[in-house]
Amino acid sequence: MSTPAPWVRTRLRTAPLSALLTAALAFTVVFLSAALPRAQDRGADAALHSFLRTAGPTATSVEITSGVPRTGDPSQLLDSTAEQIAATVGPVLPLDPSGTVYGRRGAQARRLPDPTLIRPEGVPPEFAVQYQHGAREHLRLTAGQWPDSPPQDGPIPVALSAAAAESVGVKLGMVLDGTKSILDRIPVPPGPQQIRVVGLYAVDNPSDPFWDRFGCAVQACLNLTPSSGPGDPPEKYWYAVALTGSQDVSRAGDWGHGSEDYWRAPVRVDALRADRLKQTSYDLAAVTQGPVSIKLTTGLGRSQVRITTQLRTLIDNAWKRQSAIDSLAEVGPAGTAGVAAVVLCLAAALTTERRTTELRLLRARGAAIRGICRRLLGEGAVTVLPAAAIGALLAFTLLPTPRWLPAAVTAGSVTLLSLLAFPVRAALLLRDKAGSGFSGRRRLMAELAVLATTAAAVTQVVRRGVAPLGEGVDLLLVAAPLLLALTGALLLARLQPALIGVLARWAGRRPGAVAFLGLARAARGNGRSRPSALPLLALVLAVTCGAVGATVLSSVALKRTDVARHNIGGDASVGAGTLAGLSDAFLSAADRMPGVDVSLPVWTSEDVTLSLGNGSSFRVNVVVADPVRYAELAEIAGRGRFDPAVFTAQPDGSMPALVSSDLPEGTFSLRLGGGEPVRIHTVAVADATPAMNGAVGTTVVLPLGPATDLLPRFGAPSKWLAGGNIDDARLRALAAQYLGPPAAGDQPGHVVRTRAGEAAVLGDDPLQASAERMFWVTVGATALFALLSVLLTLLRAGPERAATLARLRTMGLRPRQGLVLILAEALPQTAVAALGGALTAVCGVLLLGPAIDLGPLVGAATTTGLRLTASPILQQALGLALLAALAVLAETAVTARRQITTELRAGDNR
């Protein structure tokens, strides 16, 4: 007797191309399923680290302060306490390897009455004395020596920044007397009140975290004296920090009228993870107020121990930002996962259809269903498991991140689906009895269940909106677009044969049989099988999820534009800033700029006195502008809209005015620039004005015509507003040419704001950028899986279609007519899917759009959800339809190369 052939090896040798395609599909799906969660984690972690770094080293540190011990070596006590703090806090929070920054600082600075020192506004400079451990390793001596000599009586030896010494006028070796500080309201007790500058130093890297919050030790700071009243304005004076050595730590308190010890333990920001923000917040609470705090307070052996940190507030804010974006960010991956699952099921269904005869033959020869499925499972394990392992390993290697569980779970789930889809489909096929009708009833019940679930989910989302902030991802909101797409696809699957049948009957009345034949074949299915809902479902899901994702991104961009216009007061603005006003040359050149549709110079004055009829008065802001152009810009900005025709009435010789709603209607008196009062009367009310963003108080807008005589009291225009497509760089260059350098930090100058620049600032957030990148990646992955579904369908129908074309060619069918036949057969389903997906996306945006909060992605508080626009939906629908058409054309070109004799073989039942 012959030995039975090994099943797996025989099947792989019989169909190597099918095994290779199965492995490629498993590799692609598993790789993407593992890569998407890891990419999300990397984006969230990077956004968290960027958010925390912008707060500065001090904000991301744990700060401990205490009173000064009366006994022991101060320097050694500081060192031992720093080690104890690191040992206690380190197991709870990841501390930065740079180490703890610590030392002793005086409670007060002292004024230096030396007349030779520089006084900006006649106020003597002030110096504080501080000891900071490790300062010698973070600076470079430029003159003198470091104050490390043994303690002696007399002045305290200190080192001073060379930049501070130059600013204040201090020379090396000077002895400086200290008196009561400007901020000190009580007498200074007796004690050493002199310091000697024994060394000068320079800091090569002032941005080093070691010097954070100690900037006055790097260079002198220009402070302001406290103001005691309106007639006593603050005055500038120099303030600097002088450093002492470890031998004179205790003397810092003598100069500073008391002192305190401090330790700043920086937390390693790069070690914090976005998925553990809540736990990090609990750990910080334990350090500042919980058991770790008690351990520190009782274990340090010091008095007045205080533990503070700003990091917990930052972590809580980061958690709120993350949770607000998570629900939106998960919509795209959920759509991709749905399309990928459909593609895997489609591949299993097509493989089962191809091997139906083989499986039924094995069943007829006595093979058990369990045994057949076990063999199919082993066959799939050889092809799927290695490819899935390589895909998961590649994703884990290319996208390293500490969290591995979500990626492992999704990759394992997809691998299990890829492995079981074919055996389960084969088992269902072999269990069904031909003509029983049970499959049709089962399908109907499943479709009704999907319809009911979709209606309930959408209704719940519309009624309650998005889940409250802090409750994690809103699974209902994530699943609702998928359920809508699934319902639309099932409905289209029911309607598709009838719709294409109508087209076939219309084509039958037209001359020529090619289009009718193709549409008829599309309506009844390819070959012996009826139309499958899986290819249609994959395309509808792809179009719907891609269109919803593109609509989200488009709505975010449009909303940022609206917010930018609202903040600016138009599409562009140039404010005088610290300048006296805008020059006529600039206004004339700005009006002629390309892209300027409407421009408006504005005269403004703040703190103008407005008198009521009853003798009372208060301060208001006054704006003078051309009413027609002002109304156009108010419409563009979306704030302060009004009808300019209201300014035509001028009864009793008074001037018409547009006022805020907090001003009652009537006639009032304005006193501008010390001249004669101007009588005005209210003609309209507008609560906001594009001309004075951020202005506080009542605003009065006067028309330029009647108020022309008042312009000399205002001086030159203080702002230029414009609407249109204005180039940011060109406007800034023009303003710099006519107005000088712009304002930057403390540097005076003009201020330029444009719609593009303001929108870029709103979107300059790593968390928003990560969510947007994930949307685009998922849109691309969804399109890829949709294309795979088209290719799988074409691959299955290819041999049967080639044989049909070969038979028709023997009856005189020309090659061009064959192309029309294939297009007429394959493209209707794609067109129906694209149209159905677009309509489903429109329904999803209309139903779910108002419940989606785009504020976290926009970067500003918003009150509206998704905005329905045709462009993103049409782009997704037409793009996928074009990809499907190209795939059909490519398959047609391959089919056309086959020879008739190759296809028409005796006994071929295709």
Side-chain angles (χ1 to χ4, degrees):
M1 296 178 64
S2 61
T3 304
W7 173 274
V8 175
R9 186 176 64 188
T10 304
R11 290 303 312 167
L12 294 181
R13 286 181 176 179
T14 303
L17 180 60
S18 176
L20 182 63
L21 292 178
T22 301
L25 179 60
F27 169 82
T28 303
V29 177
V30 172
F31 172 76
L32 289 176
S33 66
L36 285 179
R38 295 180 72 81
Q40 283 183 303
D41 285 347
R42 286 169 58 86
D45 288 344
L48 171 65
H49 300 161
S50 176
F51 173 71
L52 295 179
R53 286 194 197 99
T54 56
T58 300
T60 57
S61 301
V62 177
E63 294 187 87
I64 300 102
T65 60
S66 77
V68 176
R70 297 183 178 181
T71 60
D73 185 355
S75 178
Q76 292 182 0
L77 289 175
L78 286 170
D79 296 342
S80 61
T81 304
E83 295 175 359
Q84 193 172 354
I85 289 173
T88 306
V89 179
V92 182
L93 295 172
L95 297 182
D96 196 279
S98 61
T100 303
V101 179
Y102 58 94
R104 179 174 294 183
R105 58 191 170 208
Q108 292 285 355
R110 285 186 184 267
R111 183 186 300 187
L112 306 179
D114 192 330
T116 62
L117 301 182
I118 299 176
R119 305 181 180 189
E121 294 184 355
V123 180
E126 284 193 353
F127 275 15
V129 175
Q130 176 174 314
Y131 165 72
Q132 187 155 326
H133 174 78
R136 183 69 181 85
E137 289 75 23
H138 292 80
L139 52 83
R140 173 173 46 85
L141 276 176
T142 59
Q145 61 182 5
W146 186 251
D148 267 339
S149 59
Q152 300 176 357
D153 295 334
I156 304 173
V158 297
L160 187 65
S161 166
E166 182 180 358
S167 299
V168 182
V170 174
K171 305 297 182 182
L172 183 65
M174 287 185 65
V175 176
L176 303 173
D177 293 328
T179 61
K180 187 176 70 172
S181 168
I182 297 171
L183 302 177
D184 197 358
R185 302 301 184 185
I186 61 177
V188 178
Q193 298 185 11
Q194 288 183 331
I195 58 174
R196 182 190 300 276
V197 181
V198 299
L200 300 178
Y201 62 85
V203 176
D204 295 329
N205 184 17
S207 61
D208 188 342
F210 181 85
W211 299 107
D212 191 59
R213 286 187 60 182
F214 302 125
C216 296
V218 177
Q219 60 183 6
C221 302
L222 202 59
N223 287 359
L224 294 175
T225 61
S227 177
S228 60
D232 182 20
E235 297 174 320
K236 298 177 182 179
Y237 68 95
W238 286 115
Y239 172 84
V241 175
L243 300 179
T244 186
S246 58
Q247 301 295 333
D248 295 289
V249 176
S250 59
R251 303 183 70 184
D254 297 333
W255 175 271
H257 189 191
S259 60
E260 67 175 2
D261 293 343
Y262 65 90
W263 297 265
R264 190 183 74 209
V267 176
R268 185 155 54 97
V269 171
D270 292 341
L272 300 180
R273 291 164 46 179
D275 62 296
R276 300 186 61 186
L277 288 177
K278 295 186 72 175
Q279 183 60 45
T280 304
S281 180
Y282 296 152
D283 294 340
L284 287 167
V287 170
T288 56
Q289 300 173 352
V292 180
S293 171
I294 297 175
K295 186 177 180 181
L296 278 175
T297 304
T298 58
L300 293 181
R302 289 171 169 266
S303 62
Q304 301 177 356
V305 177
R306 296 178 298 277
I307 306 173
T308 60
T309 181
Q310 302 176 35
L311 183 58
R312 189 182 181 191
T313 302
L314 294 175
I315 291 294
D316 292 342
N317 291 337
W319 164 247
K320 292 178 182 179
R321 296 169 68 248
Q322 182 70 43
S323 60
I325 287 181
D326 274 346
S327 296
L328 287 177
E330 292 296 335
V331 172
T336 303
V339 180
V342 172
V343 169
L344 291 176
C345 294
L346 175 61
L350 295 178
T351 304
T352 305
E353 182 183 347
R354 178 174 57 86
R355 298 176 61 176
T356 298
T357 303
E358 171 196 346
L359 297 176
R360 290 193 183 278
L361 180 60
L362 290 174
R363 180 65 174 153
R365 289 182 175 182
I369 296 178
R370 182 177 300 176
I372 294 175
C373 291
R374 188 166 53 249
R375 290 178 179 271
L376 295 179
L377 188 62
E379 177 185 335
V382 175
T383 55
V384 171
L385 291 183
I390 294 173
L393 181 61
L394 185 61
F396 274 73
T397 303
L398 295 179
L399 299 169
T401 182
R403 190 166 67 145
W404 58 271
L405 185 59
V409 170
T410 55
S413 302
V414 170
T415 302
L416 192 63
L417 179 60
S418 303
L419 194 61
L420 297 180
F422 178 36
V424 171
R425 183 69 181 88
L428 294 176
L429 173 70
L430 296 177
R431 286 184 183 276
D432 282 345
K433 297 181 180 180
S436 66
F438 176 73
S439 177
R441 291 195 300 272
R442 184 172 57 195
R443 176 182 175 182
L444 179 60
M445 294 302 295
E447 291 176 352
L448 291 177
V450 170
L451 179 60
T453 304
T454 303
V458 172
T459 302
Q460 185 68 10
V461 172
V462 171
R463 289 180 59 185
R464 70 164 175 80
V466 184
L469 193 64
E471 294 189 2
V473 177
D474 189 350
L475 297 179
L476 199 59
L477 178 64
V478 173
L482 285 177
L483 292 173
L484 279 174
L486 179 59
T487 303
L490 295 177
L491 181 61
L492 283 177
R494 292 284 185 179
L495 297 178
Q496 177 185 342
L499 294 176
I500 300 180
V502 172
L503 291 177
R505 287 191 293 273
W506 172 80
R509 295 191 293 268
R510 308 288 297 177
V514 176
F516 168 74
L517 179 60
L519 291 173
R521 285 173 55 82
R524 65 179 177 84
N526 296 325
R528 302 175 304 280
S529 63
R530 64 180 182 180
S532 173
L534 288 176
L536 183 66
L537 177 58
L539 290 174
V540 171
L541 278 174
V543 174
T544 302
C545 296
V548 171
T551 302
V552 169
L553 297 178
S554 175
S555 299
V556 168
L558 292 174
K559 194 61 183 176
R560 281 179 184 163
T561 299
D562 293 343
V563 173
R565 283 173 168 168
H566 184 273
N567 293 340
I568 295 172
D571 291 318
S573 74
V574 178
T578 57
L579 305 178
L582 303 179
S583 63
D584 293 338
F586 166 76
L587 296 175
S588 178
D591 292 342
R592 297 193 303 269
M593 276 189 61
V596 175
D597 297 331
V598 56
S599 64
L600 174 71
V602 177
W603 290 261
T604 61
S605 180
E606 300 180 5
D607 293 335
V608 177
T609 302
L610 182 142
S611 302
L612 302 178
N614 56 8
S616 61
S617 62
F618 56 94
R619 313 293 283 181
V620 298
N621 305 311
V622 177
V623 176
V624 177
D626 177 80
V628 176
R629 289 184 289 172
Y630 180 88
E632 293 181 20
L633 285 169
E635 185 68 29
I636 293 174
R639 53 187 302 176
R641 297 184 179 94
F642 73 101
D643 183 5
V646 298
F647 282 122
T648 56
Q650 301 182 38
D652 302 331
S654 60
M655 189 178 301
L658 177 71
V659 301
S660 304
S661 59
D662 56 349
L663 191 65
E665 295 185 3
T667 303
F668 313 102
S669 176
L670 283 178
R671 185 174 295 277
L672 296 166
E676 292 294 328
V678 178
R679 290 182 58 79
I680 63 171
H681 70 277
T682 304
V683 294
V685 175
D687 284 330
T689 172
M692 298 185 69
N693 298 329
V696 179
T698 304
T699 302
V700 176
V701 181
L702 303 178
L704 180 59
T708 302
D709 295 338
L710 303 177
L711 294 184
R713 305 186 190 182
F714 290 88
S718 58
K719 183 174 286 190
W720 176 82
L721 300 174
N725 190 15
I726 302 169
D727 184 75
D728 182 271
R730 179 173 293 183
L731 178 60
R732 293 182 184 277
L734 185 68
Q737 177 183 354
Y738 287 95
L739 303 177
D746 296 333
Q747 179 182 356
H750 62 276
V751 180
V752 179
R753 301 175 70 185
T754 61
R755 178 187 63 193
E758 198 77 7
V761 171
L762 291 173
D764 188 17
D765 185 349
L767 190 59
Q768 299 174 21
S770 174
E772 291 181 12
R773 283 196 304 269
M774 186 55 59
F775 264 114
W776 285 120
V777 169
T778 54
V779 167
T782 303
L784 172 63
F785 286 127
L787 182 60
L788 281 177
S789 70
V790 174
L791 293 177
L792 288 173
T793 306
L794 294 175
L795 184 65
R796 173 63 190 97
E800 191 273 338
R801 185 185 295 113
T804 301
L805 287 177
R807 297 186 186 102
L808 292 176
R809 287 179 64 183
T810 61
M811 293 184 287
L813 185 72
R814 295 189 297 274
R816 181 175 299 178
Q817 291 176 320
L819 175 61
V820 174
L821 175 65
I822 293 176
L823 293 177
E825 178 183 345
L827 290 186
Q829 186 182 39
T830 303
V832 170
L835 179 60
L839 293 177
T840 306
V842 170
C843 294
V845 172
L846 291 178
L847 292 175
L848 305 176
I852 296 177
D853 180 18
L854 294 180
L857 284 178
V858 173
T862 60
T863 56
T864 58
L866 296 183
R867 182 179 300 183
L868 181 61
T869 52
S871 176
I873 297 177
L874 288 178
Q875 287 176 1
Q876 295 297 315
L878 295 179
L880 283 178
L882 180 60
L883 284 177
L886 293 176
V888 172
L889 291 175
E891 196 269 345
T892 303
V894 174
T895 303
R897 293 178 177 270
R898 298 175 180 173
Q899 301 295 326
I900 296 179
T901 55
T902 304
E903 301 298 333
L904 300 180
R905 296 191 295 254
D908 194 347
N909 60 355
R910 289 178 294 176

